[in-house]
């Protein structure tokens, strides 16, 4: 699937067609406002236009769009520049595709820098080499991302020039530029060109630069960058640096919006912090929205601060996440003996408990209790809070589904979508709770649409030929059109899955029964599908 920004919007496509047809710079101005960098390959031919105004506007437009293009998308843009443009644009593109070094020599020193940048993406190696020769004369840092791309060029002379130029630019004045283009630096790690060790040396030299004390400001700025991958790199590179405040760095990382950064920081705190600083960080991690971070906090609290951890671990026994509850139960056994069933029962019977605590306690009792505890859970099956009723369904399914199967069947037809969906996995594991007549009756009755969808979700749990029998029943009935359509999709899926594995053919009586039903609903389906089903039943 194409990434966002790699396809032209309809509005820009219209402006582009107008631009090629009318050759008017106002369409370039409209394209520039869109900020869509995917249009750049279509605008490059206008860098060689005979109309000076059109050429100048194209230079400014491409330059502005390049600034909006994320560095990690520049490689894709470079590849797109070497693709053939669509048929409608080839004639206008000829002057650029046939660009030569002789033409470039006539550009002069005052030419717009974007021309050299676009030439470094050209399909002709001589043109790219000439562009790199000119770009290395720039010293403002804007050339660095394009030199990083050309460092992996398939022409060895271009690689050599770009590599040497980058070596000369590894100094603190360019630290922020290397950080902003770190995706292009890290791309070299995976490049498979010859002289792989040279890439390793270049990458390590850049990393060593960013670790220096004089680059600390740039590294800290990268920790607040908009792109998560830049923040992640800066945090990981900066943690071992002695000149950076480790506690402050980890505090920023634990507050980051990216969950992968927070879990990385959570795994570092016990190694980097001690005493009150560590305890403060772990207390903060307890309230993180990402369950793996909360899990790390519990494990480190119980290991490093067993006495202080008791109230925190008890609180986590009522966490909304099942894995965190399981970790809390394992941790509580290390810090304080506790009867978990009694703990959860006390919370269920506590009239002052909040609904989320009651729901967590019901989940917990279902995870730790015995069959006799299902009666306590069932008492809350009519609770007004949806979260509590969902917990009841899961708890009953775990502890005593045979005695409370009727509760799960009723939940399947509940008008609340979440309740109905919660009953599906439990009934799938115990499909005997819903026989085929009840299944068919549920689809034919007037229920909310989510109930009908959940009934279809249960279909794969039935025996293979019984599934076909049930689907043919639906197609034979006069019911809602969308239900017949859904049954048709399920039938296609059934045929597809049957063709992918070996299955026993039905008995003679079952086969005759299925053929009769197929004949009755044959007019409602495609003739090829009917023929396929008849062959599958009889073969």
């Amino acid at each position: 699937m194409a990434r966002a920004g790699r396809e032209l919007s309809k509005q820009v496509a219209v402006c582009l067609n107008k631009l090629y047809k009318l050759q008017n710079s106002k369409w370039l101005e409209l394209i520039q406002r869109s900020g869509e960098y995917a249009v750049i390959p279509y605008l490059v031919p206008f860098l060689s236009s005979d109309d000076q105004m059109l050429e100048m506007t194209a230079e400014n437009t491409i330059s502005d769009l390049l600034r909006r293009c994320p560095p990690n998308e520049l490689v894709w843009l470079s590849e797109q520049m070497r693709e053939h443009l669509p048929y409608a644009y080839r004639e206008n593109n000829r002057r650029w595709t046939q660009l030569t070094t002789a033409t470039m020599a006539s550009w002069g020193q005052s030419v717009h820098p974007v021309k050299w940048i676009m030439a470094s993406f050209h399909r002709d190696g001589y043109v790219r080499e000439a562009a790199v020769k000119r770009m290395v004369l720039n010293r403002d840092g804007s050339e660095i991302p394009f030199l990083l791309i050309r460092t992996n060029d398939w022409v060895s002379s271009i690689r050599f020039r770009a590599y040497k130029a980058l070596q000369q630019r590894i100094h603190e004045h360019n630290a922020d530029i290397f950080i902003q283009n770190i995706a292009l630096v890290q791309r070299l790690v995976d490049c498979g060109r010859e002289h792989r060790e040279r890439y390793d040396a270049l990458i390590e030299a850049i990393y060593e630069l960013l670790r220096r004390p004089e680059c600390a400001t740039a590294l800290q700025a990268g920790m607040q960058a908009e792109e998560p991958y830049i923040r992640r790199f800066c945090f990981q590179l900066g943690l071992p640096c002695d000149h950076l405040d480790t506690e402050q760095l980890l505090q920023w990382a634990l507050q980051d919006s990216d969950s992968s950064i927070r879990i990385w920081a959570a795994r570092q705190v016990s190694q980097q912090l001690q005493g009150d600083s560590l305890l403060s960080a772990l207390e903060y991690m307890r309230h993180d929205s990402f369950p793996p971070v909360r899990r790390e906090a519990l494990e480190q609290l119980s290991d490093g601060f067993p006495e202080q951890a008791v109230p925190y671990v008890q609180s986590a026994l009522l966490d909304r996440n099942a894995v965190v509850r399981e970790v809390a139960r394992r941790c509580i056994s290390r810090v304080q003996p506790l009867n978990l069933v009694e703990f959860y029962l006390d919370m269920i019977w506590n009239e002052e408990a909040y609904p989320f605590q009651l729901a967590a306690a019901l989940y917990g009792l279902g995870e730790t209790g015995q069959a006799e505890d299902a009666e306590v859970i069932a008492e809350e099956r009519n609770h007004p809070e949806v979260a509590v009723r969902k917990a009841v369904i899961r708890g009953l399914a775990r502890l005593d589904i045979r005695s409370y199967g009727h509760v799960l069947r009723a939940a399947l037809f509940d008008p609340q979508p979440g309740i109905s969906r919660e009953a599906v996995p439990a009934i799938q594991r115990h499909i005997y709770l819903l026989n085929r007549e009840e299944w068919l009756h549920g689809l034919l009755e007037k229920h909310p649409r989510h109930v009908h969808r959940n009934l279809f979700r249960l279909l794969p749990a039935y025996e293979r030929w019984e599934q076909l029998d049930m689907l043919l029943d639906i197609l034979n009935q006069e019911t809602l059109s969308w239900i017949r359509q859904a049954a048709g999709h399920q039938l296609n899926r059934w045929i597809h899955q049957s063709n992918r594995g070996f299955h026993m053919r039905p008995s003679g009586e079952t086969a005759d029964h299925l053929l009769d039903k197929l004949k009755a609903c044959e007019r409602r389906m495609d003739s090829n599908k009917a023929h396929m089903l008849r062959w599958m039943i009889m073969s």
Side-chain angles (χ1 to χ4, degrees):
M1 186 175 65
R3 294 185 187 180
R6 290 189 175 184
E7 293 185 353
L8 299 182
S9 65
K10 292 182 179 180
Q11 295 82 355
V12 169
V14 170
C15 291
L16 192 60
N17 287 325
K18 293 288 186 180
L19 173 63
Y20 271 88
K21 183 177 180 180
L22 303 176
Q23 303 284 307
N24 192 315
S25 60
K26 74 173 184 178
W27 298 106
L28 277 169
E29 295 170 357
L30 290 173
I31 291 172
Q32 182 177 354
R33 294 177 196 169
S34 72
E36 297 183 21
Y37 55 84
V39 77
I40 290 177
Y42 299 92
L43 303 183
V44 168
F46 296 98
L47 296 177
S48 303
S49 176
D50 295 326
D51 186 333
Q52 188 174 2
M53 176 60 70
L54 192 61
E55 180 180 346
M56 184 173 64
T57 307
E59 291 170 349
N60 294 331
T61 299
I62 294 175
S63 180
D64 182 66
L65 294 177
L66 273 178
R67 284 193 292 270
R68 303 189 193 189
C69 180
N72 55 345
E73 288 288 86
L74 286 175
V75 177
W76 171 82
L77 185 61
S78 172
E79 294 170 352
Q80 288 296 109
M81 286 292 299
R82 292 187 293 279
E83 296 290 335
H84 289 285
L85 288 175
Y87 178 80
Y89 302 126
R90 283 182 184 171
E91 189 65 30
N92 293 286
N93 194 41
R94 180 172 297 174
R95 185 179 295 183
W96 180 262
T97 56
Q98 296 176 357
L99 181 66
T100 63
T101 55
T103 304
M104 295 170 68
S106 66
W107 284 354
Q109 296 297 320
S110 60
V111 70
H112 199 291
V114 77
K115 277 194 172 184
W116 299 108
I117 293 173
M118 292 295 100
S120 73
F121 293 164
H122 201 276
R123 68 180 67 180
D124 190 322
Y126 294 107
V127 172
R128 294 199 307 279
E129 185 173 9
V132 170
K133 286 181 182 178
R134 177 60 183 82
M135 282 197 301
V136 298
L137 299 178
N138 293 342
R139 291 288 180 174
D140 60 357
S142 62
E143 73 283 1
I144 288 179
F146 307 104
L147 291 176
L148 285 168
I149 294 174
R150 295 278 67 83
T151 302
N152 189 45
D153 199 283
W154 56 89
V155 179
S156 59
S157 59
I158 299 177
R159 291 200 303 272
F160 178 79
R161 290 183 183 279
Y163 182 89
K164 288 297 182 183
L166 285 171
Q167 279 187 319
Q168 298 169 4
R169 285 160 173 78
I170 301 178
H171 51 74
E172 59 270 19
H173 301 299
N174 289 328
D176 58 335
I177 298 175
F178 279 115
I179 288 174
Q180 292 302 316
N181 293 281
I182 200 61
L184 299 177
V185 176
Q186 293 179 322
R187 167 180 171 265
L188 297 176
V189 175
D190 301 322
C191 291
R193 307 283 184 203
E194 58 186 84
H195 307 304
R196 173 66 178 273
E197 67 279 1
R198 291 187 180 178
Y199 292 159
D200 295 339
L202 178 67
I203 293 167
E204 187 56 36
I206 295 173
Y207 290 176
E208 284 298 324
L209 164 71
L210 300 178
R211 292 190 188 103
R212 296 177 190 170
E214 53 267 31
C215 298
T217 302
L219 199 62
Q220 288 175 334
M223 296 174 189
Q224 310 298 326
E226 182 178 353
E227 295 79 4
Y229 67 89
I230 295 179
R231 301 198 305 272
R232 191 179 308 120
F233 167 81
C234 291
F235 282 122
Q236 294 174 353
L237 191 71
L239 185 59
C241 297
D242 295 333
H243 56 274
L244 293 176
D245 186 342
T246 300
E247 185 176 353
Q248 180 66 64
L249 186 152
L250 288 173
Q251 183 180 353
W252 287 346
L254 290 172
Q255 295 173 355
D256 199 275
S257 60
D258 186 79
S259 58
S260 66
I261 295 176
R262 299 202 305 277
I263 187 59
W264 167 83
R267 291 166 179 165
Q268 300 296 321
V269 292
S270 62
Q271 303 173 25
Q272 304 295 332
L273 302 179
Q274 295 178 349
D276 292 341
S277 297
L278 175 57
L279 182 59
S280 177
L282 294 176
E283 289 179 358
Y284 183 83
M285 289 161 51
R286 288 180 49 244
H287 303 287
D288 196 279
S289 60
F290 192 41
V293 175
R294 301 200 299 275
R295 185 179 66 219
E296 285 288 335
L298 285 177
E299 292 178 340
Q300 295 180 36
L301 274 168
S302 60
D303 289 340
F305 305 91
E307 294 181 1
Q308 296 96 319
V310 173
Y312 301 144
V313 177
Q314 286 185 350
S315 175
L317 291 171
L318 298 173
D319 195 274
R320 59 186 177 276
N321 182 267
V323 176
V324 176
R325 292 195 300 272
E326 175 61 31
V327 171
R329 290 194 287 269
R330 188 171 67 245
C331 292
I332 199 68
S333 65
R334 299 201 298 261
V335 299
Q336 183 190 53
L338 182 67
N339 187 315
L340 294 171
V341 173
E342 290 184 3
F343 173 83
Y344 286 124
L345 286 173
D346 289 343
M347 183 56 63
I348 291 172
W349 290 328
N350 184 355
E351 296 181 356
E352 297 181 358
Y354 293 106
F356 75 89
Q357 293 176 316
L358 176 58
L362 290 168
Y363 281 124
L365 184 59
E367 293 158 357
T368 59
Q370 302 297 324
E372 56 268 22
D373 298 313
E375 184 178 356
V376 177
I377 296 177
E379 290 176 357
E380 303 292 342
R381 61 180 178 269
N382 295 320
H383 197 280
E385 290 290 335
V386 172
V388 174
R389 286 156 57 203
K390 290 171 72 173
V392 168
I393 295 168
R394 190 172 301 183
L396 293 178
R398 281 175 174 267
L399 297 183
D400 192 4
I401 197 169
R402 292 183 179 274
S403 301
Y404 294 95
H406 63 285
V407 177
L408 271 67
R409 283 198 303 272
L412 179 65
F413 297 97
D414 196 280
Q416 212 290 326
I419 301 297
S420 177
R421 188 70 179 88
E422 187 67 39
V424 171
I427 297 178
Q428 280 177 330
R429 293 190 297 269
H430 305 273
I431 197 61
Y432 61 85
L433 294 174
L434 190 74
N435 59 45
R436 52 165 298 159
E437 287 74 21
E438 291 175 316
W439 183 88
L440 180 62
H441 191 62
L443 279 173
L444 297 178
E445 278 191 338
K446 188 176 181 180
H447 289 293
R449 181 168 290 199
H450 67 264
V451 173
H452 293 150
R453 289 199 189 98
N454 290 332
L455 286 168
F456 276 116
R457 289 190 177 103
L458 292 172
L459 186 65
Y462 291 92
E463 191 273 333
R464 176 174 176 261
W465 293 109
E466 190 174 10
Q467 293 177 35
L468 178 59
D469 194 356
M470 295 158 73
L471 288 172
L472 293 176
D473 275 338
I474 290 295
L475 293 175
N476 273 321
Q477 301 291 331
E478 293 295 335
T479 185
L480 297 174
S481 60
W482 83 265
I483 293 181
R484 287 199 302 273
Q485 185 178 7
H489 290 318
Q490 289 279 358
L491 191 57
N492 291 336
R493 187 176 176 182
W494 185 90
I495 294 172
H496 177 70
Q497 290 179 342
S498 297
N499 288 334
R500 295 181 64 181
F502 174 78
H503 300 278
M504 295 293 293
R505 61 162 296 177
S507 62
E509 183 178 347
T510 303
D512 292 340
H513 178 70
L514 290 172
L515 288 173
D516 290 340
K517 286 193 174 182
L518 177 61
K519 184 177 181 181
C521 67
E522 196 168 355
R523 59 185 177 84
R524 297 179 182 270
M525 66 175 67
D526 181 76
S527 58
N528 291 331
K529 186 187 297 185
H531 177 75
M532 172 67 75
L533 288 171
R534 186 177 294 106
W535 176 83
M536 294 175 73
I537 295 170
M538 298 177 64
S539 62

